[in-house]
């Protein structure tokens, strides 16, 4: 269980790092395009296609598991906090099961779509340049698949009572 928890934590960290790197690259790319266009009337080819089909897909969907890992998703604790511990445990397990199934189902559907886009060699035309768009479609199943895996791991932790190796560090605020 520890190995799986550590692996999921590392995969989430890598996906988050790639998402952060994509933000920086996108800023540099767009800034360079704007500066070159305004100073020298030179435009970086296919900037819009690259931003829309690569950077934005990476930034939006690779780090989706981070919110689940950090337990920072939307929560309404008004009723939950008043429930007895046993019912809280069952409720938590049920929520993790539902979210895991939903995220896994979404990842599967997105994977089928990504494979279809890959098989058809999907692309975007921008100013006569053919920019492959299919790689961006694979960000969705990766992000949602990792989120699903984290939920199923946490479900197993909740049911077995093992230590959660993906849990966010406890801070004294």
């Amino acid at each position: 269980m520890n190995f799986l928890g550590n692996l999921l934590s590392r995969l989430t960290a890598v996906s988050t790092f790639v998402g952060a790197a994509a933000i920086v690259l996108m800023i540099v790319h767009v800034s360079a395009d704007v500066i070159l266009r305004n100073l020298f009337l030179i435009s970086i080819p296919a900037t819009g296609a690259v931003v829309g089909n690569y950077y934005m897909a990476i930034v939006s969907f690779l780090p989706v598991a981070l919110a689940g890992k950090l337990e920072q998703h939307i929560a309404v604790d008004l009723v939950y906090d008043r429930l007895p511990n046993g019912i809280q445990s069952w409720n938590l397990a049920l929520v993790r099961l539902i979210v895991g199934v939903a995220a896994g189902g979404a990842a599967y559907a997105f994977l089928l779509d990504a494979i279809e886009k890959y098989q058809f060699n999907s692309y975007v035309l921008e100013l006569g340049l053919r920019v492959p768009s299919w790689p961006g479609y694979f960000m969705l199943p990766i992000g949602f698949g990792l989120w699903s895996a984290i939920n199923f791991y946490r479900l197993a932790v909740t049911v077995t009572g093992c230590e959660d190796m993906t849990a966010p560090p406890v801070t004294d605020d």
Side-chain angles (χ1 to χ4, degrees):
M1 221 38 185
N2 287 348
F3 172 76
L4 183 59
N6 287 330
L7 176 65
L8 290 171
S9 285
R10 288 191 176 137
L11 289 173
T12 303
V14 167
S15 70
T16 303
F17 176 78
V18 171
I23 290 173
V24 172
L25 288 172
M26 180 173 52
I27 291 169
V28 170
H29 188 155
V30 171
S31 297
D33 185 50
V34 169
I35 290 168
L36 288 172
R37 191 175 333 123
N38 287 316
L39 293 180
F40 304 108
L41 300 175
I42 300 170
S43 182
I44 298 175
T47 296
V50 171
V51 167
N53 291 290
Y54 289 90
Y55 295 134
M56 292 307 288
I58 292 169
V59 167
S60 300
F61 298 109
L62 267 191
V64 77
L66 181 63
K69 178 184 178 294
L70 296 177
E71 301 278 8
Q72 295 294 314
H73 38 66
I74 296 172
V76 180
D77 296 332
L78 181 65
V79 175
Y80 180 81
D81 289 341
R82 291 184 166 89
L83 296 173
N85 287 343
I87 294 176
Q88 282 183 357
S89 248
W90 277 97
N91 184 35
L92 188 58
L94 180 62
V95 167
R96 288 182 172 161
L97 176 65
I98 291 169
V99 172
V101 168
Y108 178 72
F110 291 139
L111 179 62
L112 294 179
D113 189 40
I115 290 170
E116 181 180 324
K117 300 295 184 191
Y118 168 75
Q119 289 173 336
F120 289 125
N121 197 20
S122 175
Y123 63 91
V124 175
L125 278 177
E126 186 171 306
L127 299 174
L129 286 176
R130 194 174 166 174
V131 180
S133 62
W134 61 264
Y137 285 89
F138 282 93
M139 299 307 117
L140 285 91
I142 292 170
F144 279 86
L146 184 55
W147 187 24
S148 177
I150 287 172
N151 273 285
F152 282 121
Y153 170 80
R154 289 227 168 116
L155 172 62
V157 165
T158 300
V159 170
T160 63
C162 293
E163 182 183 3
D164 187 353
M165 300 306 290
T166 66
V170 177
T171 58
D172 295 329
D173 289 347

